[in-house]
Amino acid sequence: MSAAHVSRHARMRMIAAVATVCALSAAPLAPQAVAADTPPYSETYRPQFHFTPEKNWMNDPNGLVYYEGEYHLFYQYNPNGNSWGDMSWGHAVSNDLVHWTELPLALSHDDNEMVFSGSAVVDRDNTTGFGTTENPPMVAIYTSHNKTTGIQAQSLAYSTDRGRTWTKYQGNPVIDIGSRDFRDPKVQWYAPTQSWLMTVSMSAEHKVRFYSSKNLKDWNLQSEFGPAGATGGVWECPDLFPLAVDGDESNIKWVLVVNINPGGIAGGSAAQYFVGDFDGTKFTAEDKGTYIPPTGTVTQDFEGTDFGTWTTTGTAFGTAPAAGAVDGQTTVDGFDGKGLANSFHSGDATTGTLTSPSFTVDSEYLNFKVGGGRHPHVDGTVLERGDPPAGTLLADFEGGTYGDWTTTGDAFGTAPATGTLPDQQAVSGFLGNGLVNSYRNGDTTTGTLTSPEFTIDKDYVNFLVGGGYHPAGSDNPTAIELLVDGNVVRSATGKDAEALNWASWDVKDLAGKQARIRIVDDNTGGWGHLNADHIMLSDTRAQPVSQETSVNLIVDGKVVQSATGANSETLDWDSFDLRSYAGKQAKIQLVDMNRTGWGHILADRFTEADTAAKSVVQRADWADYGKDYYAAVSWEDAPDGKRYMIGWMNNWDYGGAVPTSPWRGAQSIPREMALRTVDGRIRLTSEPVGSVESLRQEGPATAAGVTVTNTSEPLIGPAAQGKALDIEATFSLNDADRFGLKVRTGADGEATVIGYDTTTQELYVDRTHSGAVDFNSTFPGVQTAPLKAENGKVKLRILVDWSSVEVFGGSGEAVITDQIFPDPASEGVQIFAENGSAELDEAVVWHLDSAHS
């Protein structure tokens, strides 16, 4: 089920597994408002050919099976709201994997359990006795999450009317090992042993287990696989299936898909896979050999008795390199030699920096090992908090009362808090002695705190905020809101941390308006509270204080590249690309400004080299390199032996904050999977299901033989513009560093850039300026996938929908899936080349009809 995505701290507090994300949102964006008369499936960001439920929350695809002409898509669904909760199985069917009919709820949560992810099979021989051989039952195998104990066990439900109605098995659960991290069974019929095969995850242990059964009720453990590959997050939603290599039926390999969160190739959630062999009992992955990093010149290996010419501030790094773990720390490994930089001296509460002397950049890459906490550098932060900027103080919550602010409910008490409340983790970062803290009686209380009216007469509203991440517009927010004429025009939330930090709203467009501040706690779950302090009007934006644990490259006094840990005491390779800084003066700075869990950084073996080192994550194999392809699983019993796969088109980093309503969550386009030999290696490839072409309108726009140099220009013209497109394009390499297409282009430079970088041999999608991106700090960015040109050409297939792009490069070995939320008026398509010229051999652009019509 990919349901227990909780922060380290939230785990200690939460009785039930609840999906959380950890990022500050201080943007004016709220979930897209839907007019009362807006017809279903025509809302601003509603996908037109990707499945979405008419309303409410959806995540993982479940129960994928083909039976009597129908593809069944079950999915994790909240029948009661637009955020994660009350997990049940929604249901839709299709005869072509493109046109879907949403059916009534299939498996519902109840007072005892939530229905987490799993699979479905057709029990053709009636091994369960749930049906007859003439009318075989459809059997769902799902993870039942006990609401009282948190235990996850495997259970059954069955249907004898083609999946329309379901009965839970009275003998549930059928496998219970007493674990809270045992989930997502994928079951199939394994013909060689005439038995059922279950692939299921031991999520926290980074293992997959294989069980066998003759009747789906009585199961025997066969073997385990893992840990292997990427292990930076929980392993979930496994899948195991055979495919012919290069279409050769005499050469069959097995693919084990293991979805991981966080720790994916693009950050957060992703679908990892292994290729190997399965003998009916055990899966054995192909040996990829021992990784040997590039050779080069070691500039700092921390093998001396002190830091040499590197200088420290603070106390986090101690006075000399560490020889592994320091007092109070668990085992540290992955470093080279005897020493490393380790900022866990005196625990996570200490802070400091470790900085190299200045050096001239004269190599192409700087490779190094990094570990410790995952707290990335954030541009615009400062290492030390100075005085607040000058301005008008609206509230500092000193003096023991709320003054003329008014409260409702009981979350805020009758007066400001003076720090940490009972049973709360330590609260820090507030000014003076008082602050707003809605952790009264824990997270169970709710209420509001509202300011008197004031005039907006300065450019910014600055304030300190901490506590839970539940944005305004979600079902149960913990948020600071700016109200004008009674409407929420700006909002901010915490980031699941008790430390307060500066946030700001740009309110220049609201000058002269009357406004109020309202602090809302409407959440009773994990991190269901908010901290706030020192709310003020100012003509200067307050600068948030760094909370990073990072290794930074500083050029001309600015951080130009940065790396952080993965919440792990194991160091792994990372790399800075130095090529654009050749001849410049630079420094390396290790920064620990975080006092909370995993608030430390580890580093070792800084090496100048001509080739970039690759981390375990980069060396792993990925079904998709985008930010939005997770919980990917495949259909059983598809016609003609085809293997179709689909994933949840979202990411747990921000899944609860995407600006859609009245639904939240979409599925990717189903993909036909294959194993192909690419550059000497067997790779899992994918291409969109062929039936998507049935949506193509007649008369595509075409272009051929177009050369573009150092510019962007419209592709073809108005005929190629649109919000739902299917694009096929082939480019020839010339001398451009980067080239490709921009889609959903509009005013003020809005565009989603789909390009190829010849210098790195990578396909990329840049959604930094794709539209609404500021609802979460991890959303904007660039995703890359390795892709070698073939015979000097780069081939792309691009599916553009109202709120997504899916890019298939080459023979489908490089795929990037990203959500986007552009202005509806942004419909342009452009061709571009940077630092040279590129030639478009041919492009064909089809407009796609809606699958809802």
Side-chain angles (χ1 to χ4, degrees), residues 551-554 558-563 575-578 580-581:
V551 178
N552 296 333
L553 174 67
I554 300 174
K558 296 181 179 180
V559 176
V560 295
Q561 292 189 48
S562 183
S575 183
F576 290 150
D577 185 341
L578 303 179
S580 59
Y581 311 110

Side-chain angles (χ1 to χ4, degrees), residues 721-763:
Q721 296 182 0
K723 298 191 293 183
L725 303 172
D726 186 349
I727 304 172
E728 295 183 356
T730 302
F731 289 86
S732 287
L733 302 184
N734 281 353
D735 60 352
D737 285 350
R738 287 166 296 279
F739 60 83
L741 299 175
K742 299 179 181 180
V743 300
R744 301 300 307 271
T745 64
D748 300 320
E750 184 169 293
T752 298
V753 183
I754 300 164
Y756 185 76
D757 190 324
T758 62
T759 69
T760 59
Q761 299 185 85
E762 289 177 326
L763 176 70

Side-chain angles (χ1 to χ4, degrees), residues 128-298:
T128 56
F130 292 152
T132 65
T133 53
E134 293 76 20
N135 183 28
M138 185 181 293
V139 182
I141 308 93
Y142 67 92
T143 296
S144 52
H145 171 86
N146 188 295
K147 291 183 175 179
T148 301
T149 66
I151 296 298
Q152 297 175 1
Q154 314 318 317
S155 295
L156 306 180
Y158 60 92
S159 169
T160 56
D161 59 359
R162 297 167 54 243
R164 268 54 180 182
T165 60
W166 291 84
T167 302
K168 292 182 180 179
Y169 175 45
Q170 291 301 306
N172 284 338
V174 295
I175 308 179
D176 184 356
I177 62 172
S179 172
R180 294 170 179 259
D181 291 289
F182 178 52
R183 54 184 176 266
D184 313 335
K186 177 63 189 290
V187 173
Q188 61 190 287
W189 181 251
Y190 186 68
T193 58
Q194 291 293 290
S195 59
W196 297 103
L197 170 67
M198 177 191 291
T199 307
V200 62
S201 67
M202 300 281 289
S203 297
E205 298 177 32
H206 307 117
K207 290 182 179 181
V208 169
R209 278 188 167 183
F210 302 99
Y211 288 83
S212 181
S213 173
K214 293 295 185 181
N215 60 8
L216 292 174
K217 301 174 182 176
D218 304 299
W219 293 90
N220 296 309
L221 177 62
Q222 301 296 296
S223 65
E224 292 182 347
F225 172 81
T231 57
V234 293
W235 277 16
E236 298 185 317
C237 303
D239 196 1
L240 179 71
F241 51 85
L243 286 173
V245 179
D246 298 320
D248 181 1
E249 294 296 335
S250 66
N251 184 12
I252 300 295
K253 290 289 184 181
W254 287 75
V255 179
L256 176 62
V257 175
V258 181
N259 292 271
I260 181 174
N261 176 76
I265 182 63
S269 314
Q272 176 182 203
Y273 73 89
F274 303 88
V275 176
D277 297 299
F278 182 72
D279 63 4
T281 300
K282 182 180 181 181
F283 175 81
T284 304
E286 292 194 330
D287 186 0
K288 297 169 71 172
T290 302
Y291 178 65
I292 301 175
T295 58
T297 302
V298 178

Side-chain angles (χ1 to χ4, degrees), residues 387-406:
D387 295 331
T392 304
L393 185 66
L394 297 177
D396 61 4
F397 304 106
E398 303 294 317
T401 73
Y402 285 126
D404 47 6
W405 287 53
T406 57

Side-chain angles (χ1 to χ4, degrees), residues 764-800:
Y764 68 92
V765 173
D766 183 347
R767 65 178 181 187
T768 307
H769 302 289
S770 60
V773 299
D774 48 3
F775 51 87
N776 185 279
S777 63
T778 68
F779 186 84
V782 182
Q783 282 64 254
T784 64
L787 178 66
K788 289 191 175 181
E790 187 172 353
N791 299 319
K793 297 183 183 297
V794 173
K795 181 180 177 182
L796 303 177
R797 171 85 179 274
I798 304 168
L799 297 181
V800 182

Side-chain angles (χ1 to χ4, degrees), residues 459-538:
D459 291 346
Y460 297 95
V461 179
N462 298 321
F463 49 92
L464 291 163
V465 62
Y469 178 91
H470 305 284
S474 62
D475 287 350
N476 302 104
T478 54
I480 301 180
E481 300 172 337
L482 179 66
L483 305 180
V484 173
D485 296 328
N487 298 315
V488 178
V489 295
R490 301 288 190 275
S491 67
T493 188
K495 57 177 183 177
D496 288 353
E498 301 294 12
L500 286 77
N501 207 349
W502 285 112
S504 301
W505 295 318
D506 185 332
V507 292
K508 290 190 284 288
D509 61 315
L510 300 173
K513 297 279 189 180
Q514 297 295 110
R516 296 180 190 270
I517 301 290
R518 181 172 66 192
I519 304 175
V520 179
D521 177 354
D522 191 36
N523 198 290
T524 59
W527 285 107
H529 66 279
L530 200 75
N531 307 326
D533 193 23
H534 210 81
I535 303 170
M536 61 181 300
L537 292 165
S538 177

